[in-house]
Amino acid sequence: MELDSNNHSVFSLHYHLILVVKYRRKVIGDEISNRLKEIFEYIQPNYNITLQEWNHDKDHVHVLMKAHPNTDISKFLNAYKSASSRLIKKEFPIIREQLWKEYFWSRSYCLITTGGAPIDVIKKYIETQGQKGVKTC
């Protein structure tokens, strides 16, 4: 497993993010997806986030990203959703016709931690801490 580090810690923080278009409108094509990805890549360094993978369907995007322990994910998501919504509506005026209000993204999102061992393996590891004959980190 590859680990990242800073002055005082070693970590591996991967997240699977799913962002959905308001009203599940099917407005994301390749051109819009590529622009949304560019905006993500522009904002990410300010929040210690690194894009790992990006893909889309017509009404949502999937993002795999890495973060640091000091990353405020909710602030990053607010900044990204605000900036990308504003820029996409400005650069692709046709989208305004397909959405009723000022929003591009739904207020909700799905954020799942990834990249580690299954929960059962971690539970077993914690349960066996301090037991003789059991190898630990």
Side-chain angles (χ1 to χ4, degrees):
M1 173 192 309
E2 282 188 39
L3 298 173
D4 294 316
S5 64
N6 59 22
N7 291 341
H8 303 288
S9 60
V10 177
F11 51 90
S12 176
L13 300 173
H14 289 82
Y15 296 93
H16 177 189
L17 171 66
I18 303 163
L19 294 173
V20 179
V21 174
K22 188 78 169 176
Y23 313 116
R24 298 292 285 211
R25 296 287 190 212
K26 297 180 182 332
V27 297
I28 302 177
D30 290 340
E31 187 178 9
I32 290 174
S33 176
N34 289 338
R35 183 62 179 126
L36 290 169
K37 182 179 175 185
E38 287 173 0
I39 298 165
F40 190 99
E41 291 172 328
Y42 180 77
I43 293 174
Q44 72 183 12
N46 299 330
Y47 293 89
N48 290 321
I49 287 177
T50 306
L51 177 65
Q52 300 289 292
E53 191 66 41
W54 180 282
N55 209 341
H56 73 278
D57 203 341
K58 293 178 182 182
D59 62 356
H60 65 278
V61 297
H62 286 266
V63 181
L64 179 62
M65 61 187 187
K66 282 191 339 184
H68 284 239
N70 63 347
T71 299
D72 189 336
I73 299 288
S74 64
K75 282 188 179 180
F76 167 74
L77 289 174
N78 286 337
Y80 173 70
K81 288 170 73 175
S82 294
S84 61
S85 178
R86 185 179 66 255
L87 290 170
I88 286 295
K89 289 182 295 184
K90 179 180 176 186
E91 296 170 18
F92 299 90
I94 189 79
I95 287 178
R96 286 187 176 272
E97 298 170 15
Q98 296 174 328
L99 297 172
W100 297 322
K101 297 195 179 185
E102 289 300 307
Y103 305 105
F104 179 78
W105 298 112
S106 169
R107 286 181 46 191
S108 57
Y109 57 86
C110 177
L111 183 66
I112 304 166
T113 57
T114 64
I119 297 298
D120 291 340
V121 172
I122 296 170
K123 281 183 179 180
K124 186 68 172 171
Y125 174 78
I126 292 170
E127 287 171 6
T128 60
Q129 290 300 292
Q131 295 179 5
K132 290 191 181 224
V134 177
K135 192 173 185 175
T136 61
C137 284

